[in-house]
Every structure is written in structure tokens, then in C-alpha cells.
Amino acid sequence: MVNKDRAPLVLVGVDGSDHAQAALEWAAAEAVRRDAPLRIVHALGMPLIVSAYGGPVRFEPSEEIQGQATEVLRDAVAHVAKVEPAARTETVTALEEAPLALLRQSHPHDLIVIGTRGLGTVKSLFVGSVSVRVAAHAPCPVAVVPSHEGKPATTGLKRIVIGVDGSPNGNRALGLAVDLAAQSEGELVVVHSWEVPYPYDPVALTAAGYRPQEDLFERQSEELVAGLLAEAIDQQRDDVDIDVTVVRTQNGPVNAILEAAEGADAIVVGSRGRGTVRGLLLGSVSQGVLHQSKIPVIVLPKHADEDE
């Protein structure tokens, strides 16, 4: 049972992989920035024993497995002390699988940090199953940090990119992005992409020199973003440096967000927006950004903060 009255934490899952080390470095820097403890979690994923005479229980780890877990956590703490000496660390060894372990440890005021893929994931997946499951179901924001093949992780939030679409979860994600930019005294880039919908043919319109409908769509897009920003800033901060990008695209919102994120430090997305594909744990846009981004992506799950 998680104590919801405790101070906020930054939680990071580690397993000894390069992906986890990149997440650990990013999480340590963010914990120092927030002046929050860094809780390092290592999940053993011990199998369940099911009995007809009682509830399921998990196998206890052998001395060898427990020793390996201790070594993983000890190495993680030593690495944090080297890259972020000011970080205050604590460690947890969990018997359950990594997604469940991280979800059980977290509450709405926390931040969970995970690598794009760790040990035991399917190589054919662009993003590991752990990161997708946690980002879809966490009660708090989740930062998914890509590996940089042994190079130090890029830390800091001086330039944050967010894609907006007017959906409720997207609007909440905008609020989170505004808050993060204000806390880090950084720049916020707000991206909204639009397409000329059927039955309008943009090629034929342009060839004919006739663009009233296209101008209308662009103006509506600009008004949508202005309204969303006015509400977000009014509710939170008015001291954020904001750059708005309204772009017509035939390649969809994922490419528009990724193009705007060149040189940025992080992307913020809601877990579900408009036009998502049924059956996905995450919406199609957030899933696409996670699959392709080379910088950390901060996901605000659909149900985050609802129990506050």
C-alpha cells in the first residue's frame, strides 16, 4: 500500500541495461531539479504460486537472485553518486514484474522514469512492453528515456515540445507542459497540425488559385491553440516563454511533433487524444511519438491525478 501523504518522489526502474542507465541519469537530474528523493526500483518478476486453499503468493528469490538484485541497485546508487552527487537516493527490491512494481510504488504527485527498452523485452518492439504499460496506466506522469548507446543521457528541460489537439487529455498534458517549462525556466513549443479534410482537394484548390477553405482551416487551428493557451496559462503560469507552431501537414501529427522537437530536451504528450486507434494501450499519436523520438517523452496517462 502506497502512503499517499508522503512527499513526491521521482521513481526509476533499473535492470542493469544501457536503456535503464540512461533513464537513471535523467531521473537523477530531474530529482535534483525538483529537490525530491530518487527511489530506484529493481523488479525481480518472481513467479506466482497459486493454491486452491489460499490466495496467490510469489516465490521467494534465491540467495543468488537476491545477490544479483543487490548488485544492480548498488551499482545504480554508485552511478548516481558519480553523475548527480546532490541526489538523495533510496532503493527498493520488488518481487513482482516491473510494470506492477512501479505502479504500486507511485502516486499522483510522483514522476516515473523508465527506459525505452530493458532486459527481457521483445527485440521486435520499438518500445518495450514495460514502458508502454506503465505509461498507459500510471497515476502520474511517466518519462520514457531513450538509450544513447553508452553516451551520457541528455538532461534538463530548457526546451519542451507539446502537441495539442483540443482533446481533454491533451489539454491536461498542455497544463503539465506549461508547469514544467515554468519550473525549469525553459521554452515551451506548442505544436498543432492540421490537414485539409475531405472532400476539399488542396492540390486542386492551389492550382486554381483558390484558398478560402484552406485559410479558414488555418485560422481555426490558430484560434484553437490560442484558446487552449489562454486557459492553461490563466490556470497556472504567465511567465513562460511560448513558441506556437501551427502547421499544415499531410504526414500526420506525429511527424509534425518530431520535426518541431529537433534540438529540444523533451516532448510532452497525453496518453490519448482525438482520433486514437481502439485496442492500443496508448493513443496512436503518443504511441507513434514514443516509437520514433530520440529524446525523452513525458506521457500524462489518461487517469493520472483523478484520485487527488
Side-chain angles (χ1 to χ4, degrees):
M1 181 67 69
V2 176
N3 177 13
K4 294 189 177 183
D5 295 326
R6 64 162 170 75
L9 298 172
V10 175
L11 298 103
V12 60
V14 298
D15 59 10
S17 68
D18 290 340
H19 293 270
Q21 181 164 300
L24 178 66
E25 293 173 1
W26 195 92
E30 186 63 11
V32 170
R33 188 185 71 79
R34 294 176 178 229
D35 191 23
L38 175 66
R39 178 172 294 178
I40 307 171
V41 181
H42 179 58
L44 297 178
M46 300 303 294
L48 282 170
I49 307 171
V50 181
S51 170
Y53 303 102
V57 295
R58 292 190 182 272
F59 274 111
E60 288 295 323
S62 65
E63 290 186 7
E64 180 181 4
I65 292 175
Q66 187 63 56
Q68 291 172 346
T70 299
E71 183 177 355
V72 168
L73 290 172
R74 183 174 59 241
D75 290 348
V77 171
H79 189 68
V80 170
K82 180 180 178 180
V83 298
E84 292 289 346
R88 294 173 284 140
T89 58
E90 54 189 64
T91 61
V92 171
T93 301
L95 297 182
E96 59 263 74
E97 297 78 11
L100 183 57
L102 290 167
L103 294 175
R104 285 188 186 278
Q105 292 287 325
S106 61
H107 78 53
H109 292 292
D110 295 335
L111 172 69
I112 297 176
V113 183
I114 46 182
T116 51
R117 187 189 297 122
L119 297 178
T121 57
V122 181
K123 290 186 178 180
S124 62
L125 293 179
F126 288 102
V127 179
S129 60
V130 172
S131 54
V132 172
R133 288 174 61 188
V134 174
H137 299 298
C140 61
V142 177
V144 181
V145 180
S147 171
H148 293 281
E149 299 180 351
K151 299 178 182 178
T154 300
T155 58
L157 293 173
K158 291 302 181 182
R159 182 176 172 87
I160 301 170
V161 173
I162 179 166
V164 297
D165 61 3
S167 66
N169 195 221
N171 296 349
R172 291 171 58 247
L174 175 59
L176 171 65
V178 169
D179 196 40
L180 289 172
Q183 291 172 7
S184 60
E185 298 182 348
E187 177 188 11
L188 179 62
V189 180
V190 180
V191 181
H192 180 69
S193 65
W194 59 276
E195 299 178 62
V196 177
Y198 180 84
Y200 302 104
D201 183 347
V203 176
L205 286 172
T206 303
Y210 184 68
R211 300 184 44 172
Q213 290 292 345
E214 188 171 343
D215 291 341
L216 173 63
F217 300 140
E218 184 173 4
R219 185 169 65 252
Q220 289 176 336
S221 181
E222 292 171 348
E223 291 173 353
L224 169 67
V225 174
L228 295 176
L229 281 173
E231 182 177 357
I233 294 173
D234 181 64
Q235 292 179 354
Q236 297 185 63
R237 317 253 185 182
D238 58 2
D239 56 350
V240 180
D241 184 10
I242 297 176
D243 179 24
V244 176
T245 298
V246 175
V247 57
R248 172 187 157 191
T249 178
Q250 293 179 313
N251 298 318
V254 172
N255 285 330
I257 293 170
L258 294 174
E259 288 175 7
E262 288 290 332
D265 298 307
I267 299 171
V268 176
V269 294
S271 60
R272 284 194 175 274
R274 300 192 185 280
T276 57
V277 179
R278 290 184 180 273
L280 293 179
L281 285 176
L282 299 177
S284 56
V285 173
S286 52
Q287 188 100 301
V289 171
L290 278 175
H291 284 177
Q292 300 178 52
S293 178
K294 296 180 181 179
I295 62 175
V297 178
I298 302 173
V299 182
L300 183 66
K302 182 178 179 180
H303 300 293
D305 303 331
E306 285 190 352
D307 59 344
E308 286 190 282

